[in-house]
Amino acid sequence: MKGGVRAAASTDVTAHAQCTASSAQWRTSQRRAGLRGPAPPPRCPSSGCSASAHPARGASTAPLRMVIRVYIASSSGSTAVSAGRQRASSRPPRAPCRAAGCSGALSAGGIKKQQQDVLGFLEANKIEFEEKDIAANEENRKWMRENVPEESRPASGNPLPPRIFNDSRYLGDYEAFFEARENNAVYAFLGLTAPPGSKEAEALAKQQA
């Protein structure tokens, strides 16, 4: 009988140790990523484990935080597109047309203005995002080119920035962003919930009324 008790206790301690290690790894990954990330490890099987010992026990799982990623190309190769990054007062030049019979290419200055427009809007509205510079980082360049869907690529050459993603999900280029902004639907375009009081939230409320 004593042997059975010792075996059960040993199993309980081992299970608790494994749960503790898993919980520690989860917390470390959270800190490194700066995100709420994946769900916490499963509930500790140890009978002596307290509710406060692990994030998955005695508490609800926090919702995932969406990560908006904007792929840009800085002229200098640094991570900043330009100092200030103020929102353009007028619409920047359109992206190259992919329709049949359309010609012409967007200049480096036009790309820069489009990037400023997107980043400036996100900053002004306090929307968290990550800026990925394809000019300074070859991995960023490769990832962006590989993850832009075929139907969203230009007729020839590589896709040009800015390109917008929600985590790894492609959202669109500047034209798609601009159209969403003109229609007060940027948050929906980004896959985010419009904040209360915003024009987009008010428009959505009217549609649902």
Side-chain angles (χ1 to χ4, degrees):
M1 183 66 180
K2 290 182 179 180
V5 172
R6 284 198 297 270
S10 176
T11 300
D12 198 49
V13 170
T14 301
H16 179 67
Q18 291 173 344
C19 183
T20 301
S22 178
S23 178
Q25 291 172 355
W26 177 75
R27 289 194 181 97
T28 299
S29 65
Q30 273 192 317
R31 288 195 298 270
R32 287 176 178 174
L35 306 171
R36 293 179 183 175
R43 179 174 295 186
C44 181
S46 170
S47 59
C49 181
S50 65
S52 60
H54 310 296
R57 188 179 179 90
S60 60
T61 302
L64 297 178
R65 187 181 72 186
M66 300 298 182
V67 181
I68 304 303
R69 296 188 173 99
V70 183
Y71 284 76
I72 59 94
S74 64
S75 58
S76 63
S78 65
T79 54
V81 177
S82 64
R85 247 190 288 170
Q86 296 181 352
R87 181 179 176 179
S89 57
S90 59
R91 181 179 183 179
R94 293 174 61 88
C97 178
R98 291 188 287 271
C102 182
S103 61
L106 190 64
S107 67
I111 292 175
K112 183 177 179 180
K113 289 180 180 179
Q114 289 186 353
Q115 293 173 167
Q116 290 174 339
D117 199 33
V118 174
L119 300 177
F121 179 89
L122 297 176
E123 289 178 339
N125 289 276
K126 296 180 173 56
I127 299 174
E128 293 185 20
F129 67 94
E130 292 179 1
E131 186 177 319
K132 301 288 188 178
D133 189 356
I134 66 172
N137 188 301
E138 183 61 30
E139 287 299 317
N140 288 341
R141 185 201 305 269
K142 181 179 179 182
W143 192 94
M144 186 198 81
R145 289 178 177 177
E146 291 178 350
N147 286 275
V148 172
E150 189 64 33
E151 63 272 16
S152 298
R153 294 174 177 274
S156 61
N158 293 311
L160 297 174
R163 298 285 173 156
I164 308 167
F165 291 79
N166 185 324
D167 286 326
S168 60
R169 180 167 63 90
Y170 180 69
L171 300 179
D173 58 6
Y174 175 77
E175 284 298 300
F177 163 81
F178 181 85
E179 294 300 328
R181 190 178 68 183
E182 289 295 288
N183 294 319
N184 290 322
V186 172
Y187 286 92
F189 166 73
L190 297 173
L192 305 175
T193 301
S198 65
K199 290 182 179 180
E200 186 168 340
E202 292 175 354
L204 185 61
K206 290 181 180 178
Q207 292 176 4
Q208 296 176 344

